[in-house]
């Protein structure tokens, strides 16, 4: 009987990657297969009912959406807060952001920007591409379809709005959108967000000096002191300010380092209700961890604020807590206070 000759250059069997339901490579073992199957069976009927309700609400291709929102805005708000079904998320995001209208009003514009225009930011975009969702299968392949799509969207926007151009945090926003829609759809949703098709324009978060981020951090700092005075006082004593932990919350709307299932639920609400949900979720996180945070010294406090415990990241616990926090009136007043402070001339030194 002949023995098989083993070629040293022959590749061994390819071990398939374990990925979660969103396409991220799993770093550790999840539940057993049996548990996963039983959980899916338990949730299947509920999910199917939700999807049928949503399909009826939006109509074919979104044809009934605007009419339904006008007739039953409270129903829409409640259902969005419960979470948009994943299979409909891309379409619904386009409808609630106003990007679908922008797309229809600007045929051929995206193709023109991608193919015929050049951007001063191209090298910066190329440098950062591999840092965007590096553990997601869509973006892992160097120069693969995911990275090419992300490059195209970011390059097109940097040409479309040369004042904003490209800033690193934009990659996570565009990357998140590309997981749920085509390049062109993702581009117009990015435009809708930064130009303010429905809510406050986001472009100030990416302009030189990040002026809108500075305003949001000022507002958030005051909200922490108002809603959690003990924690606010502890932050002051330890010389902790929101720029040390919360900047990315606003710049990427929690898509940078938070669990993806939580980020998606936040984005559902963010696109419909605006940036106030970022403040609410941030405050809810601090409130949930309040009793631990007030005991920590500076170094451990910084670590804790950048690494929240897993139980704090449960959207079914965190988001109802966030929705119960009222911030709208305070945000208006704090914005006025911030603008007044900026307009004040600097105090001249006292002459001796």
């Amino acid at each position: 009987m002949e023995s098989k000759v083993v070629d040293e250059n022959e590749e061994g069997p390819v071990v398939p990657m374990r990925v979660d339901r969103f396409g991220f490579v799993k770093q550790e073992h999840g539940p057993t297969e049996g548990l996963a199957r039983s959980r899916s069976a338990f949730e299947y009927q509920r999910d199917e009912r939700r999807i049928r309700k949503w399909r009826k609400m939006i109509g074919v291709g979104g044809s009934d959406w605007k009419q339904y929102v006008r007739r039953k805005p409270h129903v829409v708000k409640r259902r969005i807060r419960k979470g948009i079904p994943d299979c409909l998320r891309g379409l619904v995001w386009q409808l609630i952001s106003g990007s679908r209208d922008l797309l229809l009003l600007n045929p051929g514009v995206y193709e023109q920007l991608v193919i015929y225009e050049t951007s001063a930011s191209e090298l910066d975009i190329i440098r950062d591409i591999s840092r965007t969702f590096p553990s997601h299968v869509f973006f892992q392949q160097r120069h693969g379809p995911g990275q090419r799509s992300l490059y195209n969207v970011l390059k097109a926007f940097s040409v479309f709005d040369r004042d904003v151009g490209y800033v690193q945090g934009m990659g996570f926003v565009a990357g998140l959108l590309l997981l749920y829609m085509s390049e062109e759809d993702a581009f117009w949703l990015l435009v809708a967000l930064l130009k303010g098709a429905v809510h406050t324009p986001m472009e100030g978060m990416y302009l030189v000096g990040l002026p809108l981020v500075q305003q949001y951090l000022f507002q958030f700092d005051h909200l922490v002191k108002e809603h959690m005075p003990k924690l606010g006082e502890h932050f002051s004593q330890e010389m902790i300010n929101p720029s040390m932990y919360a900047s990315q919350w606003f710049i990427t709307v929690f898509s940078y380092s938070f669990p993806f299932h939580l980020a998606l639920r936040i984005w559902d609400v963010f696109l419909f209700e605006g940036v106030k949900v970022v403040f609410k979720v941030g405050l809810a996180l601090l409130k949930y961890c309040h009793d631990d945070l007030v005991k920590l010294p500076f170094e451990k406090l910084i670590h804790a604020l950048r690494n929240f415990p897993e139980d704090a990241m449960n959207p079914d616990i965190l988001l109802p807590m966030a929705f119960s926090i009222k911030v709208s009136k305070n945000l208006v007043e704090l914005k006025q206070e911030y603008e007044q402070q900026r307009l004040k001339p600097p105090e001249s030194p006292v002459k001796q």
Side-chain angles (χ1 to χ4, degrees):
M1 186 167 139
E2 293 183 8
S3 60
K4 183 180 177 182
V5 178
V6 178
D7 184 351
E8 292 182 358
N9 295 321
E10 184 179 336
E11 293 184 3
V14 177
V15 180
M17 288 187 295
R18 286 171 55 87
V19 296
D20 67 16
R21 64 193 179 101
F22 298 113
F24 288 89
V25 178
K26 288 186 177 181
Q27 301 299 322
E28 52 192 317
H29 295 295
T32 64
E33 292 301 313
L35 283 175
R37 275 198 302 271
S38 63
R39 182 174 181 271
S40 298
F42 176 75
E43 293 183 339
Y44 179 78
Q45 289 184 332
R46 184 194 66 182
D47 290 345
E48 284 299 303
R49 285 196 302 270
R50 287 181 61 238
I51 291 168
R52 283 196 296 271
K53 286 180 182 178
W54 272 90
R55 289 194 189 281
K56 185 177 179 182
M57 188 165 70
I58 63 180
V60 178
S63 57
D64 296 336
W65 174 257
K66 289 182 180 179
Q67 185 180 359
Y68 198 100
V69 172
R70 279 194 298 269
R71 285 194 299 113
K72 298 183 178 180
H74 297 299
V75 173
V76 174
K77 181 178 181 178
R78 186 179 72 246
R79 288 183 180 171
I80 287 175
R81 285 186 168 192
K82 286 182 178 179
I84 300 167
D86 206 55
C87 62
L88 299 173
R89 193 165 253 134
L91 172 60
V92 176
W93 281 4
Q94 292 170 62
L95 294 172
I96 61 181
S97 67
S99 68
R100 175 57 66 91
D101 294 333
L102 291 176
L103 170 70
L104 296 174
L105 290 169
N106 294 277
V109 171
Y110 176 72
E111 183 181 12
Q112 173 78 23
L113 293 170
V114 171
I115 297 175
Y116 300 108
E117 301 286 349
T118 57
S119 167
S121 304
E122 288 179 18
L123 291 178
D124 292 332
I125 295 170
I126 291 170
R127 180 196 65 208
D128 292 338
I129 287 289
S130 60
R131 303 174 189 174
T132 304
F133 295 125
S135 63
H136 195 284
V137 291
F138 186 56
F139 297 112
Q140 279 192 326
Q141 185 183 346
R142 185 172 172 80
H143 307 307
Q147 291 195 4
R148 283 200 305 271
S149 292
L150 184 57
Y151 169 81
N152 288 342
V153 171
L154 294 172
K155 181 235 176 176
F157 186 85
S158 69
V159 176
F160 179 83
D161 188 339
R162 294 185 187 273
D163 291 334
V164 174
Y166 165 74
V167 177
Q168 189 174 6
M170 293 166 63
F172 281 90
V173 174
L176 179 73
L177 301 179
L178 282 168
L179 296 178
Y180 284 90
M181 60 196 73
S182 70
E183 278 184 33
E184 189 173 16
D185 290 332
F187 168 76
W188 286 112
L189 208 158
L190 194 61
V191 172
L193 288 174
L194 270 70
K195 291 301 181 184
V198 175
H199 299 293
T200 304
M202 283 177 65
E203 62 183 353
M205 291 209 282
Y206 304 111
L207 291 169
V208 175
L210 311 178
L212 194 55
V213 178
Q214 302 305 324
Q215 176 196 309
Y216 288 161
L217 294 177
F218 172 87
Q219 291 169 298
F220 190 76
D221 189 38
H222 283 70
L223 288 170
V224 171
K225 291 172 181 173
E226 179 181 333
H227 287 267
M228 290 160 278
K230 187 176 178 182
L231 184 60
E233 177 62 27
H234 184 60
F235 281 173
S236 297
Q237 290 174 353
E238 296 296 330
M239 300 179 71
I240 297 285
N241 64 70
S243 66
M244 297 174 175
Y245 62 90
S247 297
Q248 289 290 353
W249 297 356
F250 291 100
I251 292 172
T252 69
V253 192
F254 292 104
S255 63
Y256 173 62
S257 59
F258 278 64
F260 197 68
H261 67 286
L262 173 60
L264 290 174
R265 292 283 301 277
I266 294 170
W267 269 80
D268 290 346
V269 182
F270 166 69
L271 290 171
F272 190 65
E273 299 185 30
V275 74
K276 66 181 179 182
V277 75
V278 180
F279 289 94
K280 291 177 174 227
V281 171
L283 291 170
L285 278 167
L286 298 183
K287 192 173 182 180
Y288 186 89
C289 301
H290 178 278
D291 293 348
D292 294 322
L293 294 174
V294 292
K295 301 171 186 173
L296 298 176
F298 179 83
E299 291 83 2
K300 291 183 177 179
L301 198 50
I302 287 291
H303 181 267
L305 289 167
R306 294 175 181 171
N307 300 274
F308 286 94
E310 188 175 340
D311 55 329
M313 301 292 199
N314 182 341
D316 294 324
I317 295 173
L318 182 67
L319 294 184
M321 186 184 295
F323 299 147
S324 72
I325 300 171
K326 307 302 180 188
V327 298
S328 297
K329 184 180 177 183
N330 301 71
L331 287 176
V332 173
E333 294 169 353
L334 288 168
K335 180 183 178 183
Q336 293 170 349
E337 183 180 336
Y338 178 75
E339 290 173 345
Q340 287 169 0
Q341 284 194 13
R342 286 180 60 234
L343 293 173
K344 279 184 183 178
E347 294 183 5
S348 54
V350 178
K351 292 182 180 179
Q352 299 294 327

